[in-house]
């Protein structure tokens, strides 16, 4: 595995860690929260992140395909978030060749998903159910760990 491919897998693990924190313990009602008339809901954003991971995988496989999904119930959308990350990571961990440069996969679907993860975290604060800040530098993030089984934060703050 190339260093670049390993770094992309670490980026997916970072997304799983940060995204997992942003959605953990959020009530189902949070999925429909709107901070403004034209804003996306957390449920719509999380569905979009799943679409981005599906798109990233399709690009990596050389069959670029975009699909806009209708958001599922909050718990199902949370499950989909981790499932799409696992599908993408499994492909990156395999011997299958990448049909696109790692840099493009990072700058496109992965970076976009990280941006949207921050939106969900911000919406939690606006909805009155904030998450604690954290030193992500100190976080235990490991390539390949892209499921719900994320380690607890090492250093949180208010």
């Amino acid at each position: 595995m190339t260093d670049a491919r390993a770094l992309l897998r670490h980026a997916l693990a970072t997304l799983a860690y940060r995204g997992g924190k942003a959605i953990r313990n959020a009530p189902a009602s949070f999925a429909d929260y709107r901070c403004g008339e034209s804003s996306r809901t957390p449920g719509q954003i999380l569905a979009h992140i799943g679409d981005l991971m599906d798109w990233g995988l399709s690009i990596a496989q050389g069959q670029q395909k975009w699909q806009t999904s209708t958001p599922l119930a909050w718990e199902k959308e949370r499950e989909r978030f981790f499932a799409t990350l696992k599908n993408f990571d499994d492909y990156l961990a395999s011997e299958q060749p990448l049909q696109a440069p790692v840099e493009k996969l990072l700058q496109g679907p992965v970076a976009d998903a990280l941006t949207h993860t921050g939106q969900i975290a911000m919406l939690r604060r606006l909805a009155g159910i904030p998450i604690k800040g954290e030193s992500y530098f100190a976080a235990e993030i490991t390539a390949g760990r892209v499921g719900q089984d994320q380690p607890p934060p090492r250093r949180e703050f208010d």
Side-chain angles (χ1 to χ4, degrees), residues 9-149:
R9 289 191 68 214
H10 190 82
L12 290 182
T14 299
L15 177 59
Y17 184 89
R18 287 178 170 237
K21 182 171 182 164
I23 62 178
R24 187 177 307 118
N25 300 322
S29 60
F30 176 63
D32 298 320
Y33 174 77
R34 281 195 192 277
C35 67
E37 194 174 298
S38 63
S39 69
R40 284 183 180 170
T41 66
Q44 290 169 324
I45 295 169
L46 193 56
H48 180 65
I49 293 172
D51 293 343
L52 287 166
M53 293 302 96
D54 285 342
W55 180 53
L57 174 58
S58 75
I59 295 168
Q61 294 172 329
Q63 305 166 0
Q64 186 171 170
K65 179 183 172 199
W66 177 260
Q67 179 176 324
T68 301
S69 299
T70 300
L72 303 170
W74 184 246
E75 188 58 37
K76 292 291 183 192
E77 204 59 67
R78 286 173 34 123
E79 292 170 8
R80 179 174 176 248
F81 168 71
F82 291 110
T84 59
L85 278 167
K86 182 174 182 347
N87 291 340
F88 196 1
D89 186 67
D90 284 351
Y91 188 82
L92 294 173
S94 77
E95 297 294 323
Q96 296 296 316
L98 291 180
Q99 302 300 319
V102 168
E103 295 83 0
K104 293 288 189 178
L105 291 166
L106 178 63
Q107 78 187 34
V110 176
D112 197 16
L114 285 165
T115 297
H116 293 304
T117 297
Q119 291 172 335
I120 292 173
M122 181 184 68
L123 288 171
R124 282 200 58 166
R125 185 167 295 281
L126 291 171
I129 46 174
I131 57 173
K132 288 187 173 191
E134 178 176 350
S135 170
Y136 291 105
F137 181 82
E140 184 183 333
I141 297 173
T142 307
R145 184 184 281 162
V146 293
Q148 292 186 44
D149 61 333

